[in-house]
Amino acid sequence: MEGPYIRIEETGAVIPLSGTVTTIGRGGAVDVRLGDPSVSRLHAEIVRHGPYAYVADLGLSRNGTRVNGRLVARRVLEDGDVLSFGAARCRIGGIPKEDIAAEVELRRSASPELTRRELDVLTSLCRPALSDEAFVAPATAREIATDLVVTEAAVKQHLLRLYQKFRIPEGANRRVRLANEVVALGLVRPLPPTGRPEPQPGLRPPADRPETVTSRPETVTSRPDRQAS
């Protein structure tokens, strides 16, 4: 088979990555359908960009996405990489090795490796700003702690590590700058307006917020912090 493809290890089925975006999940409308119950209805997507292909976890799955056993949010793929969506395993093929050069490492480094808990914190941080109702400020540390049912101190520790990973310098609106960077990298996305996949355990929809802004959807808008990040 010419061009990139994905092979489902359980069935041996080979599906070409012919489009720009290939969706993966358990739902009936995805391009690559995986029947394992650990897979969310809309779990991840593989995006082709020139000679490259990368996998992006959509942040809506319970069990995450792994490349060669490592949990990722977004990762450039190489020929032979093993992808795990929950417990379902697939393998990528057909990516010319000669086209994967030093630029791949630059693309890999653009999005730092994150733990599942760090992804949960980022999802909760950006959830208000990506809600269907209005684009508002990202969640505070207290709101994230309530969302994830953890202590506020634990959330602040996670945020400090995330500031370092994304190289967000100290200063005003640090949470907003982190949220903007996360959204720009495509690590967190708004929930679909209908037919939404099941939410992650422990996460709840954002509370109604009175403040709204009219900025572009792709940009998180700042407002005075209600508490320190």
Side-chain angles (χ1 to χ4, degrees), residues 62 117 124 127 144-150 199-205:
R62 288 191 173 122
R117 177 52 76 180
S124 184
R127 187 186 302 276
I144 297 171
T146 300
D147 236 4
L148 302 182
V149 195
V150 296
Q200 300 175 29
L203 297 183
R204 297 193 300 273

Side-chain angles (χ1 to χ4, degrees), residues 1-28:
M1 177 179 296
E2 294 185 4
Y5 63 85
I6 185 170
R7 182 191 302 274
I8 303 174
E9 291 199 347
E10 182 180 5
T11 64
V14 176
I15 302 169
L17 304 177
S18 55
T20 302
V21 178
T22 301
T23 54
I24 301 167
R26 188 165 41 85

Side-chain angles (χ1 to χ4, degrees), residues 125 137-146 150-157 159 163 171-176 209 211 223-229:
L125 172 73
T140 64
R142 179 174 298 174
E143 289 167 335
I144 297 171
T146 300
V150 296
T151 66
E152 189 174 345
V155 170
K156 289 183 176 180
Q157 287 299 315
L159 287 174
Y163 293 145
N173 300 319
R174 203 176 187 189
R175 282 184 301 104
V176 174
R209 300 163 185 263
E211 301 93 342
R223 66 181 177 194
D225 288 344
R226 282 164 284 181
Q227 65 174 65
S229 297

Side-chain angles (χ1 to χ4, degrees), residues 215-228:
S215 63
R216 295 180 303 165
E218 65 269 20
T219 302
V220 179
T221 304
S222 63
R223 66 181 177 194
D225 288 344
R226 282 164 284 181
Q227 65 174 65

Side-chain angles (χ1 to χ4, degrees), residues 55-122:
V55 64
D57 185 276
L58 295 181
L60 308 174
S61 59
R62 288 191 173 122
N63 299 304
T65 298
R66 297 177 182 272
V67 176
N68 300 325
R70 189 170 188 178
L71 194 67
V72 300
R74 186 168 70 166
R75 181 72 175 265
V76 173
L77 299 172
E78 295 186 19
D79 193 68
D81 278 346
V82 175
L83 305 183
S84 300
F85 307 101
R89 286 165 56 92
C90 303
R91 188 178 295 271
I92 290 293
I95 299 179
K97 292 185 178 181
E98 62 269 22
D99 288 338
I100 304 298
E103 186 176 347
V104 167
E105 292 307 317
L106 295 177
R107 288 171 180 262
R108 288 180 187 271
S109 63
S111 176
E113 299 292 347
L114 302 171
T115 67
R116 190 62 200 172
R117 177 52 76 180
E118 287 170 343
L119 284 172
D120 288 342
V121 170
L122 291 176

